[in-house]
Amino acid sequence: MPSRPTDLIHHPYTPPAGFSAPQPGVYKASTVIFPNVAALRARDWKHKTGYTYGLHGTPTTFQLEERIATLEGAKQCLLVPSGLAAIACVNFALLATGDEVLIPDNAYGPLKALAEGELRQWGITHQRYDPMNPADLERRLGPRTKLVWLEAPGSVTMEFPPLAHLAHVCRQRGITTVLDNTWGAGLAFNGFDLRHGERFGAGSGADIVVQALTKYPSGGGDVLMGSIATRDEALHVRIKLTHMRIGFGIGANDVEGVMRSLPSLPVRYRAHDASARSLARWMQGRPEVAQVLHPALEGSPGHEHWRSLCGDDGLAAGLFSVVFHDRYASTQVDAFCDALKLFKLGYSWGGPMSLVVPYDVPSMRSAEVAKWPHRGVLVRFSVGLEHPADLQADVEQALAALG
Ligand SMILES: *Cc1c(COP(=O)(O)O)cnc(C)c1O
């Protein structure tokens, strides 16, 4: 006769089948129970045909992976605990001692830090290249180059590179490319198919597309997650093996948070875009501002590349940067940031709340690649979902604090 504690674990009741609701159920597991030893021995972690262990997938993670694959135009997808974990996992899977990886000079900062830290420590070298100049990338490719990172636009400085051309240069040499598609969110353009005015034709896209789901897909500023999408089964399995060996598990509640936000992603992205563009245009006319960096605005670096990839009526994220006139010292720009009331100071973006961060760009660049042309201080704006007129009024009152 089983004791009561045992009954609480092995209870005979099962709920009736046939429950269905708009949002899928949330399954949590470390242990996954096999029906018999034969099933345990036949376990297959490579395909979504069954379950082996919580770390290797549950119905909850499988569903989000399939949805992100659809969003990216991919065939396979892996979830990881952050956008940075996605970047790390791809590097760990594809690079070995003696290899070299190329990174855009304006890339997401922690990727550069990883290259300078662990990758260097493991005998993997890196070079930074000028993403606005495919010839610069081409001349840096060598027999040791195994991976090239792409990002559009550049983090913080917002230059939109000739992505299709960069990917094409790598493809011709048989070098694997990986695109950080966090800005585009799978909506502004397709990372696997970068035709760029048809100049490079079908097949000119990245081999791997990563995204920080932390940003727009989560949309709440409360979840950290990343995705690694591929179209090639062998490449996917290679990354999945590394993913399995380093134990990048995802919490089911975090998946639930992203699943709940995902249906509204296109609507939110357009709202962020429209609000950011109107504020960026207004700032272009302000005397305190030397330049507004927003790829969808004419006169911004790489605007023509954005237009040919994303289209004349193309989408853009709700991000832009402003370079203040160099008559303002960094302390004055700090005072502007501190005077903002609705825009909060904080990293990351993609949530409902507007954010700013001032950056010292020259310290983020390699002097050897391309010179940063501005002398004024740069502030990056992430436009949230507040009323656009309220945001403009907030910026206007804070500009008075510039002095
Ligand atoms: C935020 C961000 C990441 C990292 O995402 P986390 O989830 O914060 O680790 C990677 N790439 C880009 C372009 C980002 O903006």
Side-chain angles (χ1 to χ4, degrees):
M1 196 63 193
S3 65
R4 218 161 261 241
T6 303
D7 280 343
L8 293 178
I9 297 163
H10 297 268
H11 200 279
Y13 176 79
T14 47
F19 176 78
S20 184
Q23 280 298 108
V26 178
Y27 294 86
K28 300 182 179 184
S30 48
T31 297
V32 171
I33 295 165
F34 296 93
N36 51 49
V37 175
L40 185 145
R41 295 223 169 98
R43 68 191 183 276
D44 170 19
W45 54 267
K46 275 191 199 158
H47 306 101
K48 291 189 168 80
T49 51
Y51 307 98
T52 59
Y53 188 56
L55 204 47
H56 309 152
T58 63
T60 306
T61 60
F62 283 3
Q63 286 185 80
L64 183 55
E65 284 176 351
E66 291 299 313
R67 287 176 198 204
I68 299 298
T70 300
L71 175 68
E72 298 278 29
K75 292 212 174 89
Q76 310 90 10
C77 175
L78 286 166
L79 296 176
V80 289
S82 69
L84 183 54
I87 289 172
C89 191
V90 170
N91 282 316
F92 296 171
L94 302 183
L95 296 169
T97 303
D99 291 345
E100 182 156 280
V101 54
L102 293 192
I103 298 171
D105 198 32
N106 57 5
Y108 177 66
L111 164 60
K112 301 186 226 176
L114 180 69
E116 277 150 26
E118 280 68 17
L119 298 187
R120 173 172 290 164
Q121 187 179 309
W122 298 336
I124 297 158
T125 61
H126 69 278
Q127 281 191 63
R128 299 213 205 154
Y129 69 92
D130 178 0
M132 302 305 281
N133 180 1
D136 183 69
L137 171 63
E138 195 153 17
R139 99 184 151 74
R140 292 173 193 275
L141 298 175
R144 296 195 301 108
T145 316
K146 292 291 152 57
L147 185 65
V148 173
W149 279 90
L150 307 168
E151 190 178 332
S155 270
V156 179
T157 47
M158 309 300 293
E159 308 93 337
F160 208 97
L163 259 193
H165 197 160
L166 298 173
H168 177 77
V169 162
C170 298
R171 174 135 315 175
Q172 278 190 318
R173 305 274 286 263
I175 297 167
T176 304
T177 51
V178 47
L179 169 76
D180 185 329
N181 201 21
T182 302
W183 179 92
L187 295 172
F189 61 92
N190 181 339
F192 292 99
D193 190 5
L194 305 162
R195 293 183 196 215
H196 228 59
E198 303 298 326
R199 209 171 127 211
F200 299 104
S204 57
D207 298 302
I208 306 162
V209 176
V210 303
Q211 216 188 118
L213 303 180
T214 305
K215 306 288 170 50
Y216 291 120
S218 139
D222 56 354
V223 174
L224 289 158
M225 200 177 294
S227 58
I228 305 168
T230 44
R231 280 186 172 178
D232 179 75
E233 172 78 13
L235 191 56
H236 166 69
V237 169
R238 206 170 150 196
I239 300 169
K240 193 174 168 82
L241 260 172
T242 298
H243 178 270
M244 189 169 75
R245 288 190 289 241
I246 57 185
F248 274 163
I250 302 294
N253 288 117
D254 289 342
V255 175
E256 181 188 19
V258 178
M259 288 282 262
R260 191 145 200 246
S261 298
L262 210 50
S264 64
L265 172 65
V267 175
R268 287 183 286 111
Y269 194 86
R270 281 177 188 279
H272 287 285
D273 180 5
S275 184
R277 272 196 232 196
S278 78
L279 186 61
R281 282 206 188 92
W282 176 77
M283 291 200 83
Q284 277 182 321
R286 291 293 309 197
E288 299 88 347
V289 170
Q291 185 162 17
V292 175
L293 303 163
H294 185 310
L297 296 195
E298 268 176 48
S300 224
H303 168 70
E304 63 286 0
H305 300 139
W306 170 82
R307 184 178 287 273
S308 77
L309 185 62
C310 302
D312 290 345
D313 307 318
L315 289 172
L319 283 181
F320 63 90
S321 290
V322 164
V323 181
F324 283 94
H325 264 295
D326 59 11
R327 64 175 176 270
Y328 300 112
S330 66
T331 49
Q332 287 170 285
V333 177
D334 290 356
F336 161 77
C337 294
D338 283 335
L340 289 163
K341 295 191 172 84
L342 295 178
F343 281 89
K344 303 296 180 192
L345 285 162
Y347 290 101
S348 204
W349 38 272
M353 190 180 281
S354 292
L355 301 167
V356 290
V357 178
Y359 285 93
D360 175 30
V361 178
S363 71
M364 296 154 59
R365 295 300 180 102
S366 160
E368 183 256 330
V369 177
K371 200 173 172 329
W372 173 243
H374 301 285
R375 292 179 48 202
V377 178
L378 178 148
V379 175
R380 200 226 7 233
F381 288 74
S382 161
V383 174
L385 296 172
E386 300 93 339
H387 197 290
D390 294 339
L391 294 177
Q392 183 178 315
D394 188 31
V395 173
E396 190 161 21
Q397 65 79 25
L399 284 171
L402 265 176

Coordinates of all heavy atoms in Angstrom, one line a residue, residues 105-171:
D105 N 33.8 46.7 -36.8 CA 34.4 47.7 -35.8 C 33.3 48.3 -35.0 O 33.6 48.7 -33.9 CB 35.2 48.7 -36.6 CG 36.2 49.5 -35.6 OD1 36.6 48.8 -34.6 OD2 36.4 50.7 -35.8
N106 N 32.1 48.4 -35.5 CA 31.0 49.0 -34.8 C 30.0 48.0 -34.1 O 28.9 48.2 -33.9 CB 30.2 49.9 -35.7 CG 29.6 49.2 -36.9 OD1 29.8 48.0 -37.0 ND2 29.0 50.0 -37.8
A107 N 30.6 46.7 -33.9 CA 29.7 45.6 -33.5 C 29.3 45.8 -32.0 O 29.9 46.7 -31.3 CB 30.5 44.3 -33.6
Y108 N 28.3 45.1 -31.6 CA 27.8 45.0 -30.2 C 29.1 44.8 -29.3 O 29.8 43.8 -29.5 CB 26.8 43.9 -30.1 CG 26.3 43.6 -28.7 CD1 25.5 44.6 -28.1 CD2 26.6 42.4 -28.0 CE1 25.0 44.4 -26.8 CE2 26.1 42.2 -26.8 CZ 25.3 43.2 -26.2 OH 24.8 43.0 -24.9
G109 N 29.3 45.7 -28.4 CA 30.5 45.7 -27.6 C 30.9 44.4 -26.9 O 32.1 44.0 -27.0
P110 N 30.0 43.7 -26.2 CA 30.4 42.5 -25.6 C 31.0 41.4 -26.5 O 31.7 40.5 -26.1 CB 29.1 42.0 -24.9 CG 28.4 43.3 -24.6 CD 28.7 44.2 -25.8
L111 N 30.6 41.4 -27.8 CA 31.2 40.5 -28.8 C 32.7 40.8 -28.9 O 33.6 39.9 -28.9 CB 30.5 40.6 -30.1 CG 31.3 40.0 -31.3 CD1 31.6 38.5 -31.2 CD2 30.5 40.2 -32.6
K112 N 33.1 42.1 -28.9 CA 34.5 42.5 -29.0 C 35.2 42.1 -27.7 O 36.3 41.6 -27.7 CB 34.6 44.0 -29.2 CG 33.9 44.5 -30.5 CD 34.2 46.0 -30.7 CE 33.0 46.8 -31.0 NZ 33.3 48.2 -31.1
A113 N 34.5 42.2 -26.6 CA 35.1 41.9 -25.3 C 35.4 40.3 -25.2 O 36.4 39.9 -24.7 CB 34.2 42.3 -24.1
L114 N 34.4 39.6 -25.8 CA 34.6 38.1 -25.8 C 35.8 37.7 -26.6 O 36.6 36.8 -26.3 CB 33.3 37.4 -26.4 CG 33.3 35.9 -26.4 CD1 33.3 35.3 -25.1 CD2 32.1 35.4 -27.3
A115 N 36.0 38.4 -27.8 CA 37.1 38.1 -28.7 C 38.4 38.5 -28.0 O 39.4 37.8 -28.1 CB 37.0 38.9 -30.0
E116 N 38.4 39.6 -27.2 CA 39.6 40.0 -26.6 C 39.9 39.2 -25.3 O 41.0 39.1 -24.8 CB 39.5 41.5 -26.2 CG 39.9 42.4 -27.4 CD 39.2 43.7 -27.4 OE1 38.8 44.2 -26.3 OE2 39.0 44.3 -28.5
G117 N 38.9 38.6 -24.8 CA 39.0 37.8 -23.6 C 39.2 36.3 -23.9 O 40.2 35.8 -24.3
E118 N 38.1 35.5 -23.7 CA 38.2 34.1 -23.9 C 38.7 33.6 -25.2 O 39.5 32.7 -25.3 CB 36.8 33.4 -23.6 CG 36.4 33.3 -22.1 CD 36.2 34.6 -21.4 OE1 36.0 35.6 -22.1 OE2 36.3 34.6 -20.2
L119 N 38.3 34.2 -26.3 CA 38.7 33.7 -27.6 C 40.2 33.9 -27.7 O 40.9 32.9 -28.2 CB 38.0 34.4 -28.8 CG 36.5 34.3 -28.8 CD1 35.9 34.9 -30.1 CD2 36.0 32.8 -28.7
R120 N 40.7 35.0 -27.3 CA 42.2 35.2 -27.4 C 42.9 34.2 -26.5 O 43.9 33.6 -26.8 CB 42.5 36.6 -27.0 CG 44.0 36.9 -26.8 CD 44.3 38.4 -26.6 NE 44.1 39.1 -27.8 CZ 43.9 40.5 -27.8 NH1 44.0 41.2 -26.7 NH2 43.7 41.1 -28.9
Q121 N 42.3 34.0 -25.3 CA 42.9 33.1 -24.3 C 43.0 31.7 -24.9 O 43.9 30.9 -24.5 CB 42.0 33.1 -23.1 CG 42.3 32.4 -21.8 CD 41.2 32.6 -20.8 OE1 40.8 33.8 -20.5 NE2 40.7 31.6 -20.2
W122 N 42.1 31.3 -25.8 CA 42.1 30.0 -26.4 C 42.8 29.9 -27.7 O 42.7 29.0 -28.4 CB 40.6 29.5 -26.5 CG 39.9 29.4 -25.3 CD1 40.4 29.2 -24.0 CD2 38.4 29.5 -25.1 NE1 39.4 29.2 -23.1 CE2 38.2 29.3 -23.7 CE3 37.4 29.7 -25.9 CZ2 36.9 29.4 -23.1 CZ3 36.1 29.7 -25.4 CH2 35.8 29.5 -24.0
G123 N 43.6 31.0 -28.0 CA 44.4 31.0 -29.2 C 43.6 31.2 -30.5 O 44.0 30.8 -31.6
I124 N 42.4 31.9 -30.3 CA 41.6 32.3 -31.5 C 41.8 33.8 -31.7 O 41.6 34.6 -30.8 CB 40.1 32.0 -31.3 CG1 39.9 30.5 -31.1 CG2 39.3 32.5 -32.4 CD1 38.6 30.1 -30.3
T125 N 42.3 34.2 -32.9 CA 42.6 35.6 -33.1 C 41.4 36.2 -33.7 O 40.5 35.6 -34.3 CB 43.8 35.8 -34.0 OG1 43.6 35.2 -35.3 CG2 45.1 35.2 -33.4
H126 N 41.4 37.6 -33.7 CA 40.3 38.3 -34.3 C 40.9 39.6 -34.9 O 41.9 40.0 -34.5 CB 39.2 38.6 -33.4 CG 39.5 39.7 -32.3 ND1 40.2 39.3 -31.2 CD2 39.3 41.0 -32.3 CE1 40.4 40.4 -30.5 NE2 39.9 41.5 -31.1
Q127 N 40.2 40.0 -35.9 CA 40.4 41.4 -36.5 C 39.1 42.1 -36.6 O 38.1 41.5 -36.8 CB 40.9 41.2 -37.9 CG 42.4 40.8 -38.1 CD 42.8 41.0 -39.6 OE1 42.8 42.1 -40.1 NE2 43.1 39.9 -40.2
R128 N 39.2 43.4 -36.5 CA 38.0 44.2 -36.7 C 38.1 44.7 -38.2 O 39.2 45.0 -38.7 CB 38.0 45.4 -35.8 CG 37.9 44.9 -34.3 CD 37.2 45.9 -33.5 NE 37.5 45.9 -32.1 CZ 37.4 47.0 -31.3 NH1 37.0 48.1 -31.8 NH2 37.7 46.9 -30.1
Y129 N 36.9 44.8 -38.8 CA 36.9 45.3 -40.2 C 35.9 46.5 -40.3 O 35.1 46.7 -39.4 CB 36.6 44.2 -41.2 CG 35.1 43.7 -41.1 CD1 34.1 44.3 -41.9 CD2 34.8 42.7 -40.3 CE1 32.8 43.8 -41.9 CE2 33.5 42.2 -40.2 CZ 32.5 42.8 -41.0 OH 31.2 42.3 -41.0
D130 N 36.1 47.3 -41.3 CA 35.2 48.4 -41.6 C 34.0 47.9 -42.3 O 34.0 47.5 -43.5 CB 35.9 49.5 -42.4 CG 35.0 50.7 -42.7 OD1 33.8 50.6 -42.3 OD2 35.5 51.6 -43.4
P131 N 32.8 47.8 -41.6 CA 31.6 47.2 -42.3 C 31.1 48.0 -43.4 O 30.3 47.5 -44.2 CB 30.6 47.1 -41.1 CG 31.0 48.2 -40.2 CD 32.5 48.3 -40.3
M132 N 31.5 49.3 -43.5 CA 31.0 50.1 -44.6 C 31.8 49.9 -45.9 O 31.5 50.5 -46.9 CB 31.0 51.6 -44.2 CG 30.2 51.9 -43.0 SD 28.5 51.3 -43.1 CE 27.8 52.6 -44.1
N133 N 32.8 49.1 -45.8 CA 33.8 49.0 -46.9 C 34.1 47.5 -47.2 O 35.0 46.9 -46.6 CB 35.1 49.7 -46.5 CG 36.1 49.7 -47.6 OD1 35.9 49.1 -48.7 ND2 37.3 50.3 -47.3
P134 N 33.3 46.8 -48.1 CA 33.6 45.4 -48.4 C 35.0 45.1 -48.8 O 35.5 44.0 -48.5 CB 32.6 45.1 -49.6 CG 31.5 46.2 -49.4 CD 32.2 47.4 -48.9
A135 N 35.7 46.1 -49.4 CA 37.1 45.8 -49.8 C 38.0 45.7 -48.6 O 38.9 44.9 -48.6 CB 37.6 47.0 -50.7
D136 N 37.6 46.4 -47.5 CA 38.4 46.3 -46.3 C 38.2 44.9 -45.7 O 39.2 44.2 -45.3 CB 38.0 47.3 -45.3 CG 38.8 47.3 -44.0 OD1 40.0 47.6 -44.1 OD2 38.3 46.9 -43.0
L137 N 37.0 44.4 -45.7 CA 36.7 43.0 -45.2 C 37.5 42.0 -46.1 O 38.2 41.1 -45.6 CB 35.2 42.7 -45.3 CG 34.8 41.2 -45.0 CD1 35.2 40.8 -43.6 CD2 33.3 41.0 -45.3
E138 N 37.4 42.2 -47.4 CA 38.0 41.2 -48.3 C 39.5 41.1 -48.1 O 40.1 40.0 -48.1 CB 37.7 41.7 -49.8 CG 38.0 40.6 -50.8 CD 37.1 40.7 -52.0 OE1 36.6 41.8 -52.3 OE2 37.0 39.7 -52.8
R139 N 40.1 42.3 -47.9 CA 41.6 42.2 -47.7 C 42.0 41.6 -46.4 O 43.1 41.1 -46.2 CB 42.2 43.6 -48.0 CG 42.5 44.4 -46.8 CD 43.0 45.8 -47.2 NE 42.7 46.7 -46.2 CZ 43.3 46.8 -45.0 NH1 44.3 46.0 -44.8 NH2 42.9 47.6 -44.1
R140 N 41.1 41.5 -45.4 CA 41.4 40.9 -44.1 C 41.2 39.4 -44.1 O 41.5 38.8 -43.1 CB 40.7 41.6 -43.0 CG 41.1 43.1 -42.8 CD 40.2 43.8 -41.8 NE 40.4 45.2 -41.8 CZ 41.4 45.8 -41.1 NH1 42.2 45.1 -40.3 NH2 41.5 47.1 -41.2
L141 N 40.4 38.9 -45.1 CA 40.1 37.5 -45.1 C 41.4 36.7 -45.4 O 42.1 37.0 -46.3 CB 39.1 37.1 -46.1 CG 37.7 37.8 -45.9 CD1 36.8 37.4 -47.1 CD2 37.0 37.3 -44.6
G142 N 41.6 35.6 -44.6 CA 42.8 34.8 -44.9 C 42.5 33.3 -44.7 O 41.4 33.0 -44.4
P143 N 43.5 32.5 -44.9 CA 43.3 31.0 -44.7 C 42.8 30.6 -43.3 O 42.2 29.6 -43.2 CB 44.6 30.4 -45.1 CG 45.6 31.5 -45.0 CD 44.9 32.8 -45.2
R144 N 43.1 31.5 -42.3 CA 42.7 31.1 -41.0 C 41.3 31.7 -40.6 O 40.7 31.4 -39.6 CB 43.7 31.7 -40.0 CG 45.1 31.0 -40.1 CD 45.9 31.3 -38.9 NE 46.2 32.7 -38.6 CZ 45.6 33.3 -37.6 NH1 44.8 32.7 -36.7 NH2 45.8 34.6 -37.5
T145 N 40.7 32.5 -41.5 CA 39.4 33.1 -41.2 C 38.3 32.0 -41.3 O 38.1 31.5 -42.4 CB 39.0 34.2 -42.2 OG1 40.2 35.1 -42.4 CG2 37.9 35.1 -41.7
K146 N 37.6 31.8 -40.2 CA 36.6 30.7 -40.2 C 35.2 31.3 -40.0 O 34.2 30.6 -40.2 CB 36.9 29.7 -39.0 CG 38.2 28.9 -39.3 CD 38.0 27.9 -40.4 CE 39.3 27.6 -41.2 NZ 40.3 27.1 -40.3
L147 N 35.1 32.5 -39.5 CA 33.8 33.0 -39.2 C 33.9 34.6 -39.4 O 34.8 35.2 -38.9 CB 33.4 32.7 -37.8 CG 32.1 33.0 -37.2 CD1 31.0 32.2 -38.0 CD2 31.9 32.7 -35.7
V148 N 32.8 35.1 -40.0 CA 32.7 36.6 -40.1 C 31.4 37.0 -39.5 O 30.3 36.5 -39.8 CB 32.8 37.0 -41.5 CG1 32.5 38.5 -41.7 CG2 34.2 36.7 -42.1
W149 N 31.4 37.9 -38.5 CA 30.2 38.5 -37.9 C 29.7 39.7 -38.8 O 30.5 40.5 -39.3 CB 30.5 39.0 -36.5 CG 30.5 37.9 -35.5 CD1 31.6 37.1 -35.2 CD2 29.4 37.4 -34.8 NE1 31.1 36.1 -34.3 CE2 29.8 36.3 -34.1 CE3 28.0 37.7 -34.8 CZ2 28.9 35.5 -33.3 CZ3 27.2 37.0 -34.0 CH2 27.6 35.9 -33.2
L150 N 28.4 39.8 -38.9 CA 27.7 40.9 -39.5 C 26.7 41.5 -38.6 O 26.1 40.7 -37.7 CB 27.0 40.4 -40.8 CG 27.8 39.6 -41.8 CD1 26.8 38.9 -42.8 CD2 28.8 40.4 -42.6
E151 N 26.5 42.7 -38.7 CA 25.5 43.4 -37.8 C 24.9 44.6 -38.6 O 25.7 45.3 -39.2 CB 26.1 43.8 -36.5 CG 25.1 44.3 -35.5 CD 25.7 44.6 -34.1 OE1 26.8 44.1 -33.8 OE2 25.2 45.5 -33.4
A152 N 23.6 44.8 -38.5 CA 23.1 46.0 -39.2 C 21.9 46.5 -38.5 O 21.0 45.8 -38.2 CB 22.6 45.6 -40.6
P153 N 21.9 47.8 -38.2 CA 23.1 48.7 -38.3 C 24.1 48.5 -37.2 O 23.8 47.6 -36.3 CB 22.5 50.1 -38.2 CG 21.3 49.9 -37.3 CD 20.8 48.5 -37.6
G154 N 25.2 49.2 -37.2 CA 26.1 49.1 -36.1 C 25.5 49.5 -34.8 O 24.7 50.4 -34.7
S155 N 25.9 48.7 -33.7 CA 25.4 49.1 -32.4 C 25.9 50.5 -32.1 O 27.0 50.9 -32.3 CB 26.0 48.1 -31.3 OG 25.2 47.0 -31.2
V156 N 25.0 51.3 -31.5 CA 25.3 52.6 -31.0 C 25.5 53.7 -32.1 O 24.8 54.7 -32.1 CB 26.5 52.7 -30.1 CG1 26.8 54.1 -29.6 CG2 26.4 51.7 -28.9
T157 N 26.3 53.4 -33.2 CA 26.6 54.4 -34.2 C 25.7 54.3 -35.4 O 25.7 55.2 -36.3 CB 28.1 54.4 -34.5 OG1 28.5 53.0 -34.8 CG2 28.9 55.0 -33.4
M158 N 25.0 53.2 -35.5 CA 23.9 53.1 -36.5 C 24.2 53.2 -38.0 O 23.3 53.4 -38.8 CB 22.8 54.2 -36.1 CG 22.4 54.3 -34.7 SD 21.6 52.7 -34.1 CE 20.1 52.7 -35.0
E159 N 25.5 53.0 -38.3 CA 25.7 52.9 -39.8 C 25.1 51.7 -40.4 O 25.3 50.6 -39.8 CB 27.2 52.9 -40.1 CG 28.1 53.9 -39.4 CD 28.6 53.5 -38.1 OE1 28.1 52.6 -37.4 OE2 29.6 54.1 -37.6
F160 N 24.5 51.8 -41.5 CA 23.9 50.6 -42.1 C 24.8 50.1 -43.2 O 25.0 50.7 -44.2 CB 22.5 50.9 -42.7 CG 21.6 49.7 -42.7 CD1 20.7 49.4 -41.7 CD2 21.7 48.7 -43.7 CE1 19.9 48.3 -41.7 CE2 20.9 47.6 -43.8 CZ 20.0 47.4 -42.7
P161 N 25.4 48.9 -43.0 CA 26.4 48.4 -44.0 C 25.8 47.8 -45.2 O 24.6 47.5 -45.3 CB 27.1 47.3 -43.2 CG 26.1 46.8 -42.3 CD 25.2 47.9 -41.9
P162 N 26.6 47.6 -46.3 CA 26.2 46.9 -47.5 C 26.2 45.4 -47.2 O 27.1 44.7 -47.6 CB 27.2 47.3 -48.6 CG 28.4 47.6 -47.8 CD 28.0 48.1 -46.4
L163 N 25.2 45.0 -46.4 CA 25.1 43.6 -45.9 C 25.3 42.5 -46.9 O 26.0 41.6 -46.8 CB 23.8 43.4 -45.2 CG 23.7 43.5 -43.6 CD1 22.4 42.9 -43.2 CD2 24.9 42.8 -43.0
A164 N 24.5 42.7 -48.0 CA 24.5 41.6 -49.1 C 25.9 41.5 -49.7 O 26.4 40.4 -49.9 CB 23.5 42.0 -50.2
H165 N 26.5 42.7 -49.9 CA 27.9 42.7 -50.4 C 28.9 42.0 -49.5 O 29.7 41.1 -49.9 CB 28.3 44.1 -50.7 CG 29.4 44.2 -51.7 ND1 29.7 45.4 -52.4 CD2 30.4 43.3 -52.0 CE1 30.8 45.2 -53.1 NE2 31.2 43.9 -52.9
L166 N 28.8 42.3 -48.2 CA 29.7 41.7 -47.2 C 29.5 40.1 -47.2 O 30.5 39.4 -47.2 CB 29.5 42.3 -45.8 CG 29.7 43.8 -45.6 CD1 29.3 44.2 -44.2 CD2 31.2 44.1 -45.9
A167 N 28.2 39.7 -47.2 CA 27.9 38.3 -47.1 C 28.4 37.6 -48.4 O 28.9 36.5 -48.3 CB 26.4 38.1 -46.9
H168 N 28.2 38.3 -49.5 CA 28.7 37.8 -50.8 C 30.2 37.5 -50.9 O 30.6 36.5 -51.3 CB 28.2 38.7 -51.9 CG 28.6 38.4 -53.3 ND1 28.0 37.4 -54.0 CD2 29.6 38.8 -54.1 CE1 28.5 37.3 -55.2 NE2 29.5 38.1 -55.3
V169 N 30.9 38.5 -50.3 CA 32.4 38.4 -50.3 C 32.8 37.1 -49.5 O 33.7 36.4 -49.9 CB 33.0 39.6 -49.6 CG1 34.4 39.4 -49.2 CG2 32.9 40.8 -50.6
C170 N 32.1 36.9 -48.4 CA 32.4 35.7 -47.6 C 32.0 34.4 -48.3 O 32.7 33.4 -48.3 CB 31.8 35.8 -46.2 SG 32.4 37.2 -45.3
R171 N 30.8 34.4 -48.9 CA 30.3 33.2 -49.5 C 31.2 32.8 -50.6 O 31.5 31.6 -50.8 CB 28.9 33.5 -50.0 CG 28.3 32.3 -50.8 CD 26.9 32.0 -50.5 NE 26.7 31.9 -49.1 CZ 25.4 31.7 -48.6 NH1 24.4 31.5 -49.4 NH2 25.3 31.6 -47.3

